[in-house]
Amino acid sequence: MKLRDRNSIALGALIRYPLRTLMMLTATAMGVAAVVVLTSLGEAARGFVAAEFQALGTHLVIVIPGKSETSGGGLGMMIGQTPRDLTIEDARALLRSPAVENIAPLMVGSASVTYNGLERESPILGSTPELLDIRQWTMALGRFLPNVTSERGAAVCVIGEIVRQELFREEPPIGKWIRVGDRRCRVTGVLGSAGRSVMVDVGKIVVIPVVSAQSLFNSPSLFRILIRAKSRESMVAAQNDVKRIIRERHQGEEDVTVITQDAVIATFDGIFTVLTFALGGIAAISLVVAGVLIMNVMLIAVSQRTREIGLLKALGARQRQITALFLTEAIFLAAMGAVVGVLLGYLASSGLGLVYPDLVFRPPLWAVASAVLTALACGVIFGISPARRAARLDPIKALAGK
Amino acid sequence: MIKLDHLSRYFQVGDQSVHALDDVTLNIDTGEYVSIMGPSGSGKSTLLNILGLLDTPTDGEYWLNGINTSSMDSDAHASTRQTRIGFIFQAFHLVPRMSAFENVELPMVLAEMDKNERHQRGHRALERVGLLSRVDHRPDQLSGGERQRVAIARAIVMEPRILLADEPTGNLDTVSGKEIVAIIEELNAQGLTLIVVTHDPKIGGHARRRIRLLDGKVVRDETSPAVPS
Ligand SMILES: Nc1ncnc2c1ncn2[C@@H]1O[C@H](COP(=O)(O)OP(=O)(O)O)[C@@H](O)[C@H]1O
Ligand SMILES: [Mg+2]
């Protein structure tokens, strides 16, 4: 039997039994759509986390007080203990490395911020003007900590957009004096709302000079030192230099952890890729369930069409031809289900994109391709046994409908 | 052309053995018109099924065109059915979702004939049974007699040497039945070997050679010198 004839006979049979066709189509389509949607969900999560870390800034090297046991990267280092303080002097010393372009010491705390009787509790960042560039933040208004260095503070501060709204409402904030904890400072600028970081929402923070933060929180110890390396290539050199300089300054002890944003991204990337694979795998199970359904419905089809099979045999059909005919039907069903499933999957993904505009839902091509292939494979694997059964029917009994 | 040599067919039903055909020896030549008659259960269908290679004998031999059919494998049986034997059934056995032409086309599709030839042969066969005006009708749009004519067209479209008909008029009214008999007799007149199973003595009496079965045995086998009309 020629392929074209086989296809048209199979198609004719599928059209003739629309309910059966629709049922199997739906089952396969759901399975394929599940793979597409779930993997696109995994990818979206991965993309989101990667973008969050990317937002930290480029060529970023981070120094954290305390030695982490694991050296590759991960969450452990972010909560490392503090055996020896990391100081502003340490931070300044890092500028000796030729691989380091810029540094920003960072202190983090929390304090109440008040203006004109209005008050809110805010995360307080103590740093230097370099922070703006390293974190690649933008200014919505005014300037970022003018005339401040790592040695010298000033009674100035920069506030986030949400802080501005809550304290100032319609009032222009620049030049106004606000109270941060027990200190007063003049607002020199408002941060742009574009910035988001892994740790805090930029809109809710208040940035003050690092020296002011030290006295506000009554501690010389830095939370982090953020470093921008000269280039991507110099990040490793910068990392090594940082360790060496700190060791020199800390009596030969390397009691800091130095991470690069790349390492963190790579770690999360790995975690989320595994997650995506797992989601895809779980969804693929539903495809196999669809395959079992294909088998059962094809078996019903064989018994429904027993007379037709008997007739084909009487007309000289070989076993192979009858097997091929029923297998073609199963594969057609799987293929149509796959196409519908891919469409549904993409549709659902864009639907999710509308609900969660922060995430990018794009089904990964490998997942779409393997879902389609799995569906087709199910069609073949689960179609073969009903097709064989049809081919082996006794022609006389089949003609009698038995 | 057809030679049955001490052929038997037993069916095992429980621990009982049913002799559907019991030691049948027969020769049928090319171009003959044979009717097989006998009461229900006498083995007529079983004989026809064996002649059509849909069934195999338990004992004895069936020689077709000088070849012992038991030496052929199932693919060879299939291809013999395809090219040399045409079947007509009491229940027509048309595929309901296919048009008259598509039903007639089916054996040619299985034989991988090309589209042009299928078209020509299919229409010629439908013309021979007088159904050219119904090529696109589906079986449920045809009368019983017309359905059987489609089945005849399908049986002859591969230009077989033998036409086997099992109660071809059994589901038809008298008028349609007569038409069908006329058509297959005409095919026989053109050279096709015709073997008809029937329990209708009027139809069976038409045949030049009349075989009577009883309990799986040939009890009578007579040939008239001339075809009565
Ligand atoms: N598949 C079968 N299994 C068991 N017995 C059968 C089978 N086919 C036919 N028979 C028996 O063989 C005998 C002949 O049947 P059949 O050839 O159909 O008779 P007819 O066509 O003359 O009515 C009957 O007794 C029938 O019951
Ligand atoms: Mg019978």
Short mmCIF file of all heavy atoms in Angstrom, two decimals, chain A residues 3-64:
data_model
loop_
_atom_site.label_atom_id
_atom_site.label_comp_id
_atom_site.label_asym_id
_atom_site.label_seq_id
_atom_site.Cartn_x
_atom_site.Cartn_y
_atom_site.Cartn_z
N LEU A 3 2.06 5.05 0.65
CA LEU A 3 1.96 5.90 1.85
C LEU A 3 0.77 6.84 1.77
O LEU A 3 0.00 7.00 2.72
CB LEU A 3 3.25 6.70 2.00
CG LEU A 3 3.37 7.46 3.32
CD1 LEU A 3 3.49 6.48 4.47
CD2 LEU A 3 4.56 8.40 3.29
N ARG A 4 0.58 7.42 0.59
CA ARG A 4 -0.51 8.39 0.45
C ARG A 4 -1.87 7.75 0.67
O ARG A 4 -2.75 8.29 1.31
CB ARG A 4 -0.46 9.05 -0.93
CG ARG A 4 -0.05 10.51 -0.85
CD ARG A 4 -0.09 11.15 -2.20
NE ARG A 4 -1.43 11.34 -2.68
CZ ARG A 4 -1.71 11.63 -3.96
NH1 ARG A 4 -0.73 11.72 -4.83
NH2 ARG A 4 -2.95 11.82 -4.34
N ASP A 5 -2.02 6.52 0.10
CA ASP A 5 -3.28 5.82 0.27
C ASP A 5 -3.50 5.44 1.72
O ASP A 5 -4.59 5.55 2.26
CB ASP A 5 -3.29 4.56 -0.60
CG ASP A 5 -3.23 4.92 -2.07
OD1 ASP A 5 -3.91 5.89 -2.46
OD2 ASP A 5 -2.51 4.24 -2.81
N ARG A 6 -2.39 4.97 2.33
CA ARG A 6 -2.48 4.58 3.73
C ARG A 6 -2.94 5.78 4.56
O ARG A 6 -3.83 5.68 5.39
CB ARG A 6 -1.13 4.10 4.20
CG ARG A 6 -1.19 3.38 5.51
CD ARG A 6 0.06 2.59 5.71
NE ARG A 6 1.15 3.41 6.14
CZ ARG A 6 2.42 3.19 5.82
NH1 ARG A 6 2.75 2.18 5.04
NH2 ARG A 6 3.36 3.97 6.26
N ASN A 7 -2.31 6.93 4.31
CA ASN A 7 -2.67 8.13 5.06
C ASN A 7 -4.12 8.51 4.86
O ASN A 7 -4.83 8.85 5.80
CB ASN A 7 -1.78 9.30 4.65
CG ASN A 7 -0.35 9.11 5.11
OD1 ASN A 7 -0.07 8.20 5.90
ND2 ASN A 7 0.56 9.92 4.63
N SER A 8 -4.58 8.41 3.61
CA SER A 8 -5.95 8.88 3.38
C SER A 8 -6.96 7.90 3.97
O SER A 8 -8.01 8.31 4.47
CB SER A 8 -6.20 9.15 1.90
OG SER A 8 -6.39 7.96 1.21
N ILE A 9 -6.63 6.61 3.96
CA ILE A 9 -7.54 5.65 4.60
C ILE A 9 -7.58 5.88 6.10
O ILE A 9 -8.64 5.93 6.72
CB ILE A 9 -7.12 4.20 4.29
CG1 ILE A 9 -7.34 3.90 2.80
CG2 ILE A 9 -7.93 3.22 5.15
CD1 ILE A 9 -6.88 2.53 2.39
N ALA A 10 -6.39 6.08 6.69
CA ALA A 10 -6.32 6.30 8.14
C ALA A 10 -7.08 7.57 8.52
O ALA A 10 -7.84 7.60 9.48
CB ALA A 10 -4.86 6.41 8.59
N LEU A 11 -6.88 8.61 7.72
CA LEU A 11 -7.54 9.88 7.98
C LEU A 11 -9.05 9.72 7.87
O LEU A 11 -9.81 10.24 8.69
CB LEU A 11 -7.05 10.92 6.97
CG LEU A 11 -6.90 12.33 7.50
CD1 LEU A 11 -5.85 12.38 8.59
CD2 LEU A 11 -6.54 13.28 6.37
N GLY A 12 -9.48 8.98 6.85
CA GLY A 12 -10.90 8.73 6.65
C GLY A 12 -11.51 8.06 7.87
O GLY A 12 -12.59 8.43 8.32
N ALA A 13 -10.77 7.09 8.44
CA ALA A 13 -11.27 6.39 9.62
C ALA A 13 -11.35 7.33 10.81
O ALA A 13 -12.30 7.27 11.61
CB ALA A 13 -10.37 5.21 9.95
N LEU A 14 -10.36 8.23 10.95
CA LEU A 14 -10.35 9.17 12.08
C LEU A 14 -11.54 10.11 12.00
O LEU A 14 -12.15 10.45 13.01
CB LEU A 14 -9.06 9.97 12.10
CG LEU A 14 -7.80 9.17 12.43
CD1 LEU A 14 -6.57 10.06 12.39
CD2 LEU A 14 -7.93 8.52 13.78
N ILE A 15 -11.86 10.53 10.77
CA ILE A 15 -12.98 11.45 10.59
C ILE A 15 -14.30 10.72 10.87
O ILE A 15 -15.23 11.27 11.42
CB ILE A 15 -12.95 12.03 9.17
CG1 ILE A 15 -11.74 12.95 9.02
CG2 ILE A 15 -14.23 12.80 8.86
CD1 ILE A 15 -11.40 13.29 7.60
N ARG A 16 -14.31 9.44 10.52
CA ARG A 16 -15.53 8.65 10.67
C ARG A 16 -15.89 8.44 12.14
O ARG A 16 -17.04 8.29 12.49
CB ARG A 16 -15.30 7.32 9.94
CG ARG A 16 -16.31 6.24 10.22
CD ARG A 16 -17.64 6.58 9.60
NE ARG A 16 -18.68 5.89 10.33
CZ ARG A 16 -19.63 5.16 9.77
NH1 ARG A 16 -19.71 5.09 8.46
NH2 ARG A 16 -20.50 4.54 10.51
N TYR A 17 -14.89 8.41 13.02
CA TYR A 17 -15.17 8.22 14.44
C TYR A 17 -14.70 9.44 15.23
O TYR A 17 -13.69 9.40 15.92
CB TYR A 17 -14.47 6.96 14.97
CG TYR A 17 -14.89 5.70 14.26
CD1 TYR A 17 -14.13 5.17 13.21
CD2 TYR A 17 -16.07 5.04 14.62
CE1 TYR A 17 -14.53 4.02 12.55
CE2 TYR A 17 -16.47 3.89 13.96
CZ TYR A 17 -15.70 3.38 12.92
OH TYR A 17 -16.09 2.25 12.27
N PRO A 18 -15.45 10.55 15.10
CA PRO A 18 -14.95 11.83 15.65
C PRO A 18 -14.78 11.81 17.17
O PRO A 18 -13.85 12.41 17.68
CB PRO A 18 -16.02 12.84 15.22
CG PRO A 18 -17.21 12.03 14.88
CD PRO A 18 -16.73 10.70 14.44
N LEU A 19 -15.65 11.10 17.87
CA LEU A 19 -15.58 11.12 19.33
C LEU A 19 -14.28 10.49 19.82
O LEU A 19 -13.55 11.05 20.64
CB LEU A 19 -16.79 10.39 19.92
CG LEU A 19 -16.92 10.59 21.43
CD1 LEU A 19 -17.32 12.03 21.73
CD2 LEU A 19 -17.93 9.62 22.02
N ARG A 20 -14.01 9.32 19.26
CA ARG A 20 -12.78 8.61 19.59
C ARG A 20 -11.57 9.48 19.25
O ARG A 20 -10.65 9.65 20.05
CB ARG A 20 -12.75 7.32 18.77
CG ARG A 20 -11.42 6.65 18.69
CD ARG A 20 -11.56 5.30 18.01
NE ARG A 20 -11.53 5.37 16.55
CZ ARG A 20 -10.40 5.25 15.85
NH1 ARG A 20 -9.27 5.11 16.45
NH2 ARG A 20 -10.42 5.31 14.54
N THR A 21 -11.59 10.07 18.06
CA THR A 21 -10.48 10.90 17.62
C THR A 21 -10.29 12.08 18.58
O THR A 21 -9.16 12.36 19.00
CB THR A 21 -10.76 11.42 16.20
OG1 THR A 21 -10.99 10.30 15.36
CG2 THR A 21 -9.59 12.22 15.67
N LEU A 22 -11.40 12.72 18.93
CA LEU A 22 -11.33 13.89 19.80
C LEU A 22 -10.76 13.53 21.17
O LEU A 22 -9.93 14.24 21.73
CB LEU A 22 -12.73 14.48 19.96
CG LEU A 22 -12.77 15.98 20.14
CD1 LEU A 22 -12.38 16.65 18.83
CD2 LEU A 22 -14.15 16.43 20.57
N MET A 23 -11.22 12.39 21.69
CA MET A 23 -10.76 11.94 23.01
C MET A 23 -9.25 11.76 23.05
O MET A 23 -8.56 12.25 23.94
CB MET A 23 -11.40 10.58 23.29
CG MET A 23 -12.30 10.53 24.49
SD MET A 23 -13.12 8.94 24.50
CE MET A 23 -11.83 7.90 25.18
N MET A 24 -8.76 11.05 22.04
CA MET A 24 -7.33 10.74 22.05
C MET A 24 -6.51 11.98 21.75
O MET A 24 -5.43 12.17 22.29
CB MET A 24 -7.05 9.64 21.03
CG MET A 24 -7.61 8.35 21.54
SD MET A 24 -7.57 7.00 20.43
CE MET A 24 -5.94 6.95 19.85
N LEU A 25 -7.06 12.81 20.90
CA LEU A 25 -6.39 14.06 20.57
C LEU A 25 -6.23 14.90 21.83
O LEU A 25 -5.17 15.45 22.11
CB LEU A 25 -7.26 14.81 19.58
CG LEU A 25 -6.51 15.51 18.49
CD1 LEU A 25 -6.91 14.90 17.16
CD2 LEU A 25 -6.84 16.96 18.49
N THR A 26 -7.32 14.98 22.60
CA THR A 26 -7.29 15.79 23.82
C THR A 26 -6.26 15.25 24.80
O THR A 26 -5.46 16.01 25.35
CB THR A 26 -8.68 15.77 24.49
OG1 THR A 26 -9.66 16.06 23.50
CG2 THR A 26 -8.76 16.78 25.60
N ALA A 27 -6.26 13.94 24.98
CA ALA A 27 -5.33 13.35 25.95
C ALA A 27 -3.89 13.68 25.57
O ALA A 27 -3.09 14.11 26.40
CB ALA A 27 -5.54 11.84 26.00
N THR A 28 -3.56 13.47 24.31
CA THR A 28 -2.19 13.74 23.87
C THR A 28 -1.89 15.23 23.97
O THR A 28 -0.82 15.63 24.44
CB THR A 28 -2.00 13.27 22.42
OG1 THR A 28 -2.67 12.04 22.25
CG2 THR A 28 -0.54 13.09 22.11
N ALA A 29 -2.85 16.03 23.54
CA ALA A 29 -2.62 17.47 23.54
C ALA A 29 -2.36 17.97 24.96
O ALA A 29 -1.47 18.80 25.18
CB ALA A 29 -3.83 18.19 22.94
N MET A 30 -3.13 17.45 25.93
CA MET A 30 -2.93 17.87 27.31
C MET A 30 -1.52 17.53 27.78
O MET A 30 -0.86 18.35 28.42
CB MET A 30 -3.94 17.18 28.23
CG MET A 30 -5.36 17.66 28.05
SD MET A 30 -5.48 19.43 27.97
CE MET A 30 -6.47 19.74 29.37
N GLY A 31 -1.09 16.34 27.46
CA GLY A 31 0.26 15.93 27.86
C GLY A 31 1.33 16.83 27.28
O GLY A 31 2.21 17.32 27.98
N VAL A 32 1.23 17.07 25.99
CA VAL A 32 2.22 17.92 25.33
C VAL A 32 2.17 19.34 25.89
O VAL A 32 3.18 19.95 26.20
CB VAL A 32 2.00 17.91 23.80
CG1 VAL A 32 2.88 18.95 23.12
CG2 VAL A 32 2.30 16.53 23.23
N ALA A 33 0.93 19.84 26.05
CA ALA A 33 0.78 21.20 26.57
C ALA A 33 1.37 21.30 27.98
O ALA A 33 2.02 22.30 28.32
CB ALA A 33 -0.70 21.59 26.59
N ALA A 34 1.18 20.25 28.78
CA ALA A 34 1.73 20.27 30.14
C ALA A 34 3.25 20.39 30.10
O ALA A 34 3.84 21.17 30.85
CB ALA A 34 1.31 19.00 30.88
N VAL A 35 3.88 19.63 29.22
CA VAL A 35 5.34 19.71 29.12
C VAL A 35 5.75 21.13 28.73
O VAL A 35 6.63 21.74 29.34
CB VAL A 35 5.87 18.70 28.07
CG1 VAL A 35 7.35 18.92 27.84
CG2 VAL A 35 5.62 17.28 28.52
N VAL A 36 5.07 21.66 27.73
CA VAL A 36 5.43 22.98 27.23
C VAL A 36 5.27 24.04 28.33
O VAL A 36 6.17 24.84 28.59
CB VAL A 36 4.58 23.34 25.99
CG1 VAL A 36 4.79 24.78 25.58
CG2 VAL A 36 4.92 22.40 24.83
N VAL A 37 4.13 24.00 29.01
CA VAL A 37 3.86 25.04 30.03
C VAL A 37 4.80 24.90 31.22
O VAL A 37 5.40 25.89 31.67
CB VAL A 37 2.39 24.95 30.50
CG1 VAL A 37 2.18 25.88 31.68
CG2 VAL A 37 1.46 25.31 29.37
N LEU A 38 4.96 23.68 31.71
CA LEU A 38 5.77 23.51 32.92
C LEU A 38 7.23 23.86 32.66
O LEU A 38 7.89 24.48 33.49
CB LEU A 38 5.64 22.08 33.45
CG LEU A 38 4.31 21.81 34.14
CD1 LEU A 38 4.24 20.38 34.64
CD2 LEU A 38 4.10 22.77 35.30
N THR A 39 7.75 23.47 31.50
CA THR A 39 9.15 23.82 31.24
C THR A 39 9.28 25.32 31.02
O THR A 39 10.28 25.92 31.41
CB THR A 39 9.70 23.07 30.01
OG1 THR A 39 8.79 23.24 28.93
CG2 THR A 39 9.89 21.61 30.30
N SER A 40 8.29 25.93 30.43
CA SER A 40 8.40 27.37 30.23
C SER A 40 8.32 28.08 31.57
O SER A 40 8.96 29.10 31.80
CB SER A 40 7.34 27.87 29.24
OG SER A 40 6.23 28.39 29.90
N LEU A 41 7.57 27.47 32.51
CA LEU A 41 7.52 28.00 33.88
C LEU A 41 8.91 27.92 34.52
O LEU A 41 9.40 28.88 35.13
CB LEU A 41 6.53 27.16 34.68
CG LEU A 41 5.83 27.83 35.84
CD1 LEU A 41 4.86 28.86 35.32
CD2 LEU A 41 5.09 26.78 36.66
N GLY A 42 9.55 26.76 34.40
CA GLY A 42 10.89 26.58 34.95
C GLY A 42 11.88 27.56 34.35
O GLY A 42 12.68 28.18 35.05
N GLU A 43 11.78 27.72 33.04
CA GLU A 43 12.67 28.64 32.36
C GLU A 43 12.43 30.08 32.81
O GLU A 43 13.37 30.86 32.98
CB GLU A 43 12.48 28.55 30.84
CG GLU A 43 13.19 27.38 30.22
CD GLU A 43 14.69 27.56 30.25
OE1 GLU A 43 15.21 28.42 29.53
OE2 GLU A 43 15.33 26.85 31.04
N ALA A 44 11.17 30.41 33.01
CA ALA A 44 10.84 31.76 33.45
C ALA A 44 11.45 32.03 34.82
O ALA A 44 12.04 33.09 35.06
CB ALA A 44 9.32 31.94 33.50
N ALA A 45 11.35 31.04 35.71
CA ALA A 45 11.92 31.20 37.05
C ALA A 45 13.44 31.38 36.96
O ALA A 45 14.03 32.24 37.61
CB ALA A 45 11.57 29.98 37.90
N ARG A 46 14.05 30.57 36.12
CA ARG A 46 15.50 30.66 35.95
C ARG A 46 15.88 32.04 35.41
O ARG A 46 16.79 32.70 35.92
CB ARG A 46 15.97 29.58 34.97
CG ARG A 46 17.46 29.41 34.91
CD ARG A 46 17.80 28.27 33.96
NE ARG A 46 17.48 28.60 32.58
CZ ARG A 46 18.31 29.26 31.78
NH1 ARG A 46 19.49 29.62 32.20
NH2 ARG A 46 17.95 29.55 30.55
N GLY A 47 15.17 32.46 34.39
CA GLY A 47 15.45 33.76 33.79
C GLY A 47 15.28 34.88 34.80
O GLY A 47 16.08 35.82 34.84
N PHE A 48 14.27 34.75 35.65
CA PHE A 48 13.99 35.79 36.64
C PHE A 48 15.15 35.90 37.62
O PHE A 48 15.67 36.99 37.88
CB PHE A 48 12.69 35.45 37.37
CG PHE A 48 12.34 36.41 38.46
CD1 PHE A 48 11.87 37.68 38.14
CD2 PHE A 48 12.51 36.07 39.80
CE1 PHE A 48 11.55 38.58 39.14
CE2 PHE A 48 12.19 36.97 40.80
CZ PHE A 48 11.71 38.23 40.47
N VAL A 49 15.58 34.75 38.14
CA VAL A 49 16.67 34.77 39.12
C VAL A 49 17.96 35.27 38.47
O VAL A 49 18.69 36.09 39.03
CB VAL A 49 16.86 33.36 39.72
CG1 VAL A 49 18.11 33.31 40.56
CG2 VAL A 49 15.64 33.01 40.56
N ALA A 50 18.23 34.82 37.26
CA ALA A 50 19.44 35.26 36.56
C ALA A 50 19.41 36.77 36.38
O ALA A 50 20.40 37.46 36.60
CB ALA A 50 19.56 34.56 35.21
N ALA A 51 18.24 37.29 36.01
CA ALA A 51 18.12 38.73 35.78
C ALA A 51 18.32 39.50 37.09
O ALA A 51 18.96 40.55 37.12
CB ALA A 51 16.76 39.05 35.19
N GLU A 52 17.81 38.93 38.19
CA GLU A 52 17.99 39.57 39.50
C GLU A 52 19.47 39.73 39.82
O GLU A 52 19.90 40.77 40.29
CB GLU A 52 17.34 38.69 40.58
CG GLU A 52 15.84 38.76 40.58
CD GLU A 52 15.33 40.03 41.23
OE1 GLU A 52 15.28 40.09 42.46
OE2 GLU A 52 15.01 40.98 40.49
N PHE A 53 20.23 38.66 39.56
CA PHE A 53 21.65 38.75 39.88
C PHE A 53 22.39 39.63 38.90
O PHE A 53 23.33 40.34 39.25
CB PHE A 53 22.26 37.35 39.94
CG PHE A 53 22.01 36.69 41.25
CD1 PHE A 53 20.96 35.81 41.41
CD2 PHE A 53 22.81 36.98 42.35
CE1 PHE A 53 20.70 35.23 42.64
CE2 PHE A 53 22.56 36.40 43.58
CZ PHE A 53 21.51 35.52 43.72
N GLN A 54 21.94 39.59 37.67
CA GLN A 54 22.54 40.46 36.66
C GLN A 54 22.38 41.92 37.10
O GLN A 54 23.26 42.75 36.89
CB GLN A 54 21.83 40.26 35.31
CG GLN A 54 22.76 40.31 34.12
CD GLN A 54 23.36 38.95 33.84
OE1 GLN A 54 22.64 37.98 33.67
NE2 GLN A 54 24.69 38.86 33.80
N ALA A 55 21.24 42.19 37.74
CA ALA A 55 20.94 43.56 38.15
C ALA A 55 21.89 44.06 39.23
O ALA A 55 21.93 45.25 39.53
CB ALA A 55 19.50 43.65 38.65
N LEU A 56 22.65 43.16 39.82
CA LEU A 56 23.64 43.60 40.80
C LEU A 56 24.70 44.49 40.16
O LEU A 56 25.34 45.28 40.83
CB LEU A 56 24.33 42.40 41.44
CG LEU A 56 23.55 41.63 42.49
CD1 LEU A 56 24.31 40.39 42.88
CD2 LEU A 56 23.31 42.51 43.69
N GLY A 57 24.91 44.35 38.90
CA GLY A 57 25.94 45.13 38.22
C GLY A 57 26.87 44.22 37.47
O GLY A 57 26.90 43.02 37.69
N THR A 58 27.64 44.80 36.57
CA THR A 58 28.52 43.98 35.76
C THR A 58 29.92 43.91 36.36
O THR A 58 30.33 44.81 37.09
CB THR A 58 28.62 44.52 34.33
OG1 THR A 58 28.82 45.92 34.41
CG2 THR A 58 27.36 44.23 33.55
N HIS A 59 30.62 42.88 36.05
CA HIS A 59 31.98 42.62 36.54
C HIS A 59 32.05 42.76 38.05
O HIS A 59 33.01 43.27 38.60
CB HIS A 59 33.02 43.56 35.91
CG HIS A 59 32.85 43.74 34.43
ND1 HIS A 59 32.38 42.75 33.63
CD2 HIS A 59 33.11 44.80 33.62
CE1 HIS A 59 32.34 43.19 32.38
NE2 HIS A 59 32.78 44.43 32.34
N LEU A 60 31.03 42.32 38.70
CA LEU A 60 30.93 42.55 40.13
C LEU A 60 31.62 41.45 40.93
O LEU A 60 31.42 40.27 40.67
CB LEU A 60 29.45 42.61 40.51
CG LEU A 60 29.15 43.12 41.91
CD1 LEU A 60 29.54 44.58 42.05
CD2 LEU A 60 27.66 42.95 42.20
N VAL A 61 32.48 41.89 41.89
CA VAL A 61 33.10 40.96 42.83
C VAL A 61 32.66 41.41 44.21
O VAL A 61 32.67 42.60 44.52
CB VAL A 61 34.64 41.00 42.71
CG1 VAL A 61 35.27 40.07 43.74
CG2 VAL A 61 35.07 40.61 41.30
N ILE A 62 32.23 40.45 45.03
CA ILE A 62 31.68 40.81 46.34
C ILE A 62 32.55 40.19 47.43
O ILE A 62 32.88 39.00 47.37
CB ILE A 62 30.23 40.30 46.48
CG1 ILE A 62 29.37 40.87 45.34
CG2 ILE A 62 29.64 40.69 47.83
CD1 ILE A 62 28.03 40.19 45.19
N VAL A 63 32.93 41.02 48.41
CA VAL A 63 33.71 40.51 49.54
C VAL A 63 32.79 40.44 50.75
O VAL A 63 32.13 41.42 51.10
CB VAL A 63 34.91 41.43 49.83
CG1 VAL A 63 35.78 40.80 50.92
CG2 VAL A 63 35.71 41.67 48.57
N ILE A 64 32.74 39.25 51.35
CA ILE A 64 31.87 39.03 52.50
C ILE A 64 32.75 38.63 53.67
O ILE A 64 33.63 37.77 53.51
CB ILE A 64 30.87 37.89 52.19
CG1 ILE A 64 30.05 38.23 50.95
CG2 ILE A 64 29.96 37.62 53.38
CD1 ILE A 64 29.24 37.07 50.42
#
